[in-house]
Amino acid sequence: MLLQRRALLGASAAMLAAPTVLRAQGAAPWAARYPELVFAIIPSENASGVTERYAPFIAYMSKRLGTKVTLRIASDYAAVIEGQRAGNIHLASYGPSSFARALMTGSKITAFAIESNLDGSKGYYSVFYVKADSPYQKIEDLKGKNLGLVDPNSTSGNNVPRFALNKLGITPEQFFGRVVYTGSHENAVIALSQGTVDMCANWWNDEQESNLLRMARKGMVKAADFRIIFKSEQIVNSPMAYLDALPEDLKAAIRSAVLELATADKAAFDRMTDGKAGPLVAADNSVYQPIIELNRFVDNLRRRG
């Protein structure tokens, strides 16, 4: 699949310069080559929400590494993939399918951390929501209605839904009246709320955490206004990845800082996760091989369709 470069929307975040004590002790060998590190994240919620959520993490990373770390919020999933492939993004937070797509399209990157849940598991689910007061009880009831997906490179917002629909013998563009890509998980729920679509795909961890509950905590929607009519099998959680070209000591410093975040700066970690997740834990690229196979399956569906 040919991915086109998209512009990245820069998002200002709180930055901390290297502390005086660090400068006095001497900078790390890589510091002169990397006076700034760029951390990017796929668009899962509106830009202001991401900035607010990640600003303490950016400040923590800047302090731990002794160099400026800048937050960038991508305009779409492909922008993160292209940015890392070009070497312009040093560190990124992906969804599983977008990370797998980055590997498939030649990005020289390594997953070094994976999200975990409060119970220690490392997976989540794709769900289809409908309005709570709608008559729809199963996917088959929505023939001719409008479907809201998230982004072509979203795992829970596109690839797993398409895989599930294929198992039901459904080709979305033929079965539904219209298939709409909304750009983010929040936008998908908003489209459903406003009646632009009649069913939307989204991510769901468990009864305690989901994108819908995050939106409800922010006062954007009422969770009771929606209900789930489909839940997938468990999907491996999202990774953070860095460029393979970074110096080994810098990668080690990044890795340690991220894996120690939950205890080293609990406030920053809780802000990033709303206190609804376990710590980030070590991972590698092999964890995402099944997602590469899922991407290939969905690519074949597109070619046939």
Side-chain angles (χ1 to χ4, degrees):
M1 172 181 173
L2 179 62
L3 293 174
Q4 298 178 341
R5 183 182 301 276
R6 305 299 208 279
L8 288 173
L9 301 178
S12 298
M15 308 299 171
L16 294 180
T20 304
V21 64
L22 279 179
R23 296 187 186 279
Q25 293 173 350
W30 48 262
R33 290 174 56 197
Y34 297 94
E36 178 182 15
L37 295 170
V38 176
F39 171 78
I41 184 167
I42 56 174
S44 58
E45 56 187 314
N46 63 60
S48 62
V50 174
T51 301
E52 194 175 310
R53 184 180 300 281
Y54 278 87
F57 169 72
I58 294 298
Y60 162 81
M61 292 295 289
S62 297
K63 184 175 181 180
R64 275 289 297 258
L65 299 175
T67 195
K68 185 168 88 167
V69 179
T70 299
L71 172 66
R72 287 189 186 171
I73 306 163
S75 57
D76 60 16
Y77 288 51
V80 177
I81 296 169
E82 293 297 318
Q84 283 222 290
R85 187 163 62 180
N88 300 323
I89 294 171
H90 305 98
L91 174 65
S93 177
Y94 284 95
S97 285
S98 53
F99 174 71
R101 180 68 62 191
L103 294 178
M104 293 167 69
T105 54
S107 296
K108 303 302 182 184
I109 56 176
T110 295
F112 66 91
I114 185 174
E115 297 174 357
S116 73
N117 304 325
L118 287 172
D119 63 2
S121 62
K122 303 179 189 69
Y124 70 114
Y125 302 86
S126 174
V127 296
F128 280 132
Y129 285 118
V130 296
K131 288 185 178 179
D133 59 0
S134 74
Y136 313 121
Q137 299 300 317
K138 58 185 184 299
I139 294 171
E140 291 86 345
D141 295 340
L142 285 113
K143 185 174 177 60
K145 303 300 180 181
N146 294 337
L147 169 65
L149 299 176
V150 174
D151 182 283
N153 287 301
S154 172
T155 315
S156 60
N158 183 69
N159 288 357
V160 170
R162 285 186 179 274
F163 177 79
L165 291 170
N166 181 71
K167 287 179 69 174
L168 295 173
I170 292 173
T171 300
E173 284 74 13
Q174 297 173 8
F175 182 85
F176 297 101
R178 192 157 62 106
V179 177
V180 179
Y181 280 115
T182 65
S184 74
H185 289 83
E186 283 190 347
N187 286 347
V189 174
I190 290 169
L192 177 58
S193 176
Q194 294 176 344
T196 305
V197 300
D198 303 287
M199 179 174 76
C200 77
N202 236 261
W203 67 264
W204 185 92
N205 280 8
D206 50 36
E207 296 291 349
Q208 284 72 50
E209 184 63 332
S210 62
N211 175 60
L212 179 61
L213 290 178
R214 280 190 177 181
M215 292 177 70
R217 289 195 295 270
K218 292 192 287 186
M220 298 175 70
V221 293
K222 294 181 179 179
D225 289 344
F226 307 90
R227 57 184 167 82
I228 294 171
I229 63 169
F230 167 83
K231 184 177 78 171
S232 73
E233 294 182 2
Q234 194 174 59
I235 308 161
V236 63
N237 270 349
S238 299
M240 280 193 191
Y242 44 43
L243 295 176
D244 291 346
L246 295 179
E248 290 302 321
D249 55 347
L250 174 53
K251 288 191 284 189
I254 291 171
R255 190 166 57 245
S256 295
V258 169
L259 296 180
E260 293 168 10
L261 172 65
T263 51
D265 193 335
K266 187 175 184 301
F269 178 75
D270 287 347
R271 184 68 197 91
M272 189 170 77
T273 64
D274 286 351
K276 301 290 185 179
L280 288 142
V281 296
D284 58 45
N285 289 2
S286 66
V287 175
Y288 295 94
Q289 186 59 40
I291 306 299
I292 290 175
E293 297 305 318
L294 171 64
N295 283 2
R296 288 174 177 157
F297 178 84
V298 173
D299 289 348
N300 287 331
L301 286 182
R302 289 196 189 106
R303 284 193 285 269
R304 293 206 308 263

